[in-house]
Amino acid sequence: MNRFATTVGGLLAVLAAPAMGATFNNTAGLTSPGTTITFDGLSSGTFIGSTYAGLGITFTGLSASSTDTIGTAPGATNAVDGTPTTTVTFTFSSPVADVAFEFATNRLGTSVSGKLEGNTVDSFQPGSFSIGSPTFFGFTGGRFDQITVDLSGDATALIDNVQFSLATATDVPEPTSKAVLMAGLAGLVVLGRRRRT
C-alpha cells in the first residue's frame, strides 16, 4: 500500500471518531454559562417538561421539588407524580458546547451521557453524593443536543442550576459534515488507485 492510501486511511480513522468533550465535576459549574435554569418559583410537583422551552431546553422525567435542596435552594427531582423515573433527559433546541448541572443522588450506578443526533458523544458515572452538598457535573468543549441521566433502580436524584452555552459553527464538526468529508477522502483513495493501474 502506498503512502497516500495509508495517510488517507489514517485521516479517515481520526474523522470517524466522535467529537468528544471533556467531562468535569466541581463546586461552581461553568465559568460563564450562556443560560442557567434554577427551577426557582415552581410549585412542588410541577412537571417541568417544556416550562423552559423559550430558553432552548425541555426536560423529561423531572418535576419541581420545594422540600429537597442541593446547596441552598430547592431544585428538581426525578419523582414525577410521586413515582421515581429511571431516566431524566435534557433536550436542547440547538446544539450546546458546554453543559453543567448540580446533581445529587442516593445510589451508585447512575450514568450521564451527552448525545448528538442520537449518538453518544461522551458519558461518565458520577457516583453518589449526599443531598445538601453542591456538586456540578457536565461536559465542556463538545457538541451535544441531549443529555440523559440514567438512574439505577429506585434511586432518588436532585438536579438544579442547569447551565449551558450554545455551540458555534466552529466548535466541533457535526457527524454529518464529517461523513461528507470522509466520503470525499475515500473518493481520493479510489482515484489514486485508478491512476496506478
Side-chain angles (χ1 to χ4, degrees), residues 45 47 60-64 77-88 151 153-157:
F47 177 67
T60 59
L62 205 57
S63 64
T77 181
N78 67 312
V80 176
D81 296 327
T83 305
T85 58
T86 57
T87 302
V88 173
L151 301 155
D154 61 348
T156 299

Side-chain angles (χ1 to χ4, degrees), residues 17-46:
M20 295 181 72
T23 61
F24 72 90
N25 72 293
N26 61 31
T27 58
L30 299 176
T31 305
S32 54
T35 303
T36 300
I37 308 290
T38 64
F39 307 115
D40 293 347
L42 297 178
S43 299
S44 187
T46 301

Side-chain angles (χ1 to χ4, degrees), residues 2 5 8 20 35 58 76 98 108-109 111 118 120 137 142 152 184-185 194:
N2 66 22
V8 171
M20 295 181 72
T35 303
T58 58
D98 307 303
L108 291 172
S111 176
T120 299
F137 292 91
S152 61
L185 290 174
R194 282 187 181 170

Side-chain angles (χ1 to χ4, degrees), residues 6 26 91:
T6 303
N26 61 31
T91 302

Side-chain angles (χ1 to χ4, degrees), residues 8 11-12 15 173 175-188:
V8 171
L11 284 172
L12 289 174
L15 291 171
T176 52
S177 60
K178 288 178 16 182
V180 170
L181 183 57
M182 289 185 343
L185 290 174
L188 290 174

